[in-house]
Amino acid sequence: MGNKSKKSDLKKAEISTDTLGDDKYKVSSFKDLNSENLRLVILNNRYAQLLILLVAIGFALRFYNLGFNSIWLDEGTTFGYAKMGFVEIWNAVIAEFHPPLFYWLEHMMNVFGDSEFVLRFMPALFGVLAVPVFYLIGSEVVNRDVGIITALLVTFSPFQIYYSQDARAYTMILLFFSISLLAYIYALKTREMKWWIIFGIASAIAFWAHYYTIIGTGVIVLHAIVTNYREILKNTPFRKGFLVSIILFVILSIPLLLLIYERYLELSASAPTYGVLGPQLITSSIISFSGFEWWSGVLFAVLLLSESRTCIRRVSVIWPLSWVSC
């Protein structure tokens, strides 16, 4: 019995020693972003070491042979817009269902040339940056182990690798909408104004990358109202932060909101010619967002309709994973 007790105490001591570095050396605020603390984190925190490894692998997978394939049809559209000026791009996207921000970024990349590698550089970079963001989302929703698993899925997802090597805005959408989701989670936990501001800015940037992100932003806003309506009705820091984020999003998105309204009036003035219109657009969006998998679509629909804080909290970790696995 004495030996068993000693072995048990020894194992507990080993576990305590192993987890000490993970808890002691970490980045909790901007003050921790100094060379000495970062060195200690890299040397002693296993989660940081695993995340750095995954980011490095994600970088290699996304940048390997990045310029090998020739530009295809949709990338040709990006290439054409990138050759225009800022005002020309804005005037051109009025007739297209894509905002101009990604094309503006590609236009600025012209200073480095017009090769396939240069054209696909920004999407690949956005795809790599999504790995640590998904780690943070998984860590905040459940724990750091789930964060590593989430980052692992994003790193090796063929779906994500493919679109990271495609000169379109999809990885930019993923990155900034994920940042807005992460900022919202932090805002719920801390009630700090800075996270509401980041949520509003990141949501607006995602909207400037693709109009459909307003659906996801609307789901987050609906969740905030349903689960925190008592605080919103009162004069609380939560209400102030929430309203600031909404106002900030609207101000930053006014040009696009006006453009969408003009396009709506133009398209609704004549009979529909193609595409999905009316209420069917909602179901079609859910199906396409879920990767055309019925089970993933059901999870997405549950997330939209659920009024339970606990249910949304648990499903919300599956939701980003379902996007990755599609």
Side-chain angles (χ1 to χ4, degrees):
M1 290 293 291
N3 290 334
K4 288 183 178 180
S5 178
K6 288 180 180 180
K7 288 180 179 180
S8 177
D9 292 340
L10 183 60
K11 285 184 177 179
K12 289 180 180 179
E14 290 175 351
I15 293 173
S16 177
T17 303
D18 288 340
T19 58
L20 183 60
D22 298 331
D23 294 330
K24 182 178 179 181
Y25 302 106
K26 57 185 179 181
V27 177
S28 301
S29 66
F30 289 110
K31 294 179 181 179
D32 297 330
L33 294 175
N34 57 77
S35 58
E36 179 60 21
N37 186 65
L38 291 176
R39 184 183 69 84
L40 293 173
V41 168
I42 294 171
L43 292 176
N44 298 284
N45 190 307
R46 293 171 300 176
Y47 292 101
Q49 293 165 357
L50 285 172
L51 182 59
I52 291 171
L53 177 62
L54 290 176
V55 171
I57 294 173
F59 182 91
L61 291 174
R62 285 154 178 79
F63 279 89
Y64 175 73
N65 268 349
L66 186 61
F68 178 76
N69 290 320
S70 299
I71 295 173
W72 71 290
L73 180 62
D74 284 9
E75 288 183 314
T77 302
T78 301
F79 182 83
Y81 280 131
K83 291 298 182 181
M84 300 178 182
F86 287 99
V87 177
E88 290 178 295
I89 291 173
W90 172 258
N91 292 331
V93 298
I94 292 176
E96 197 198 36
F97 200 74
H98 289 281
L101 182 57
F102 178 71
Y103 298 135
W104 284 338
L105 292 177
E106 289 288 7
H107 171 72
M108 289 186 286
M109 289 296 293
N110 279 334
V111 298
F112 301 105
D114 58 2
S115 66
E116 287 87 348
F117 181 89
V118 172
L119 195 67
R120 296 168 182 151
F121 180 86
M122 293 303 294
L125 180 62
F126 290 141
V128 174
L129 295 177
V131 174
V133 174
F134 270 77
Y135 164 76
L136 293 173
I137 291 174
S139 299
E140 289 300 320
V141 174
V142 185
N143 55 44
R144 288 180 292 183
D145 293 331
V146 171
I148 289 295
I149 294 172
T150 308
L152 183 72
L153 289 172
V154 177
T155 299
F156 290 99
S157 168
F159 183 86
Q160 298 299 333
I161 295 171
Y162 175 83
Y163 280 106
S164 293
Q165 296 189 330
D166 188 32
R168 300 297 284 171
Y170 304 120
T171 54
M172 182 181 181
I173 300 164
L174 175 74
L175 175 63
F176 284 100
F177 182 76
S178 300
I179 291 174
S180 72
L181 176 61
L182 179 63
Y184 174 65
I185 294 171
Y186 284 149
L188 288 181
K189 288 192 172 185
T190 66
R191 268 33 181 189
E192 293 180 3
M193 177 65 73
K194 65 180 180 181
W195 296 116
W196 286 114
I197 293 174
I198 294 174
F199 168 69
I201 294 174
S203 298
I205 294 175
F207 186 51
W208 276 87
H210 201 289
Y211 295 122
Y212 266 20
T213 59
I214 199 170
I215 298 175
T217 301
V219 171
I220 294 175
V221 170
L222 179 62
H223 175 264
I225 294 173
V226 171
T227 59
N228 298 275
Y229 65 91
R230 290 188 179 88
E231 290 191 64
I232 293 176
L233 292 175
K234 300 176 182 177
N235 187 21
T236 62
F238 182 92
R239 186 176 77 168
K240 293 178 181 177
F242 176 70
L243 292 177
V244 165
S245 68
I246 299 298
I247 294 171
L248 192 57
F249 172 82
V250 171
I251 291 174
L252 294 175
S253 304
I254 281 178
L256 290 185
L257 294 172
L258 294 175
L259 178 60
I260 290 177
Y261 180 68
E262 290 177 4
R263 287 284 289 159
Y264 169 77
L265 294 179
E266 179 183 343
L267 293 174
S268 60
S270 58
T273 56
Y274 66 94
V276 180
L277 300 174
Q280 189 182 352
L281 179 62
I282 299 174
T283 56
S284 297
S285 298
I286 292 175
I287 292 171
S288 61
F289 281 171
S290 60
F292 300 95
E293 295 285 349
W294 69 267
W295 57 269
S296 186
V298 170
L299 289 176
F300 195 89
V302 168
L303 178 65
L304 288 173
L305 299 175
S306 175
E307 293 184 1
S308 168
R309 182 194 300 253
T310 303
C311 182
I312 290 179
R313 180 179 175 81
R314 295 306 178 190
V315 174
S316 62
V317 73
I318 301 174
W319 177 38
L321 293 181
S322 69
W323 282 46
V324 174
S325 61
C326 295

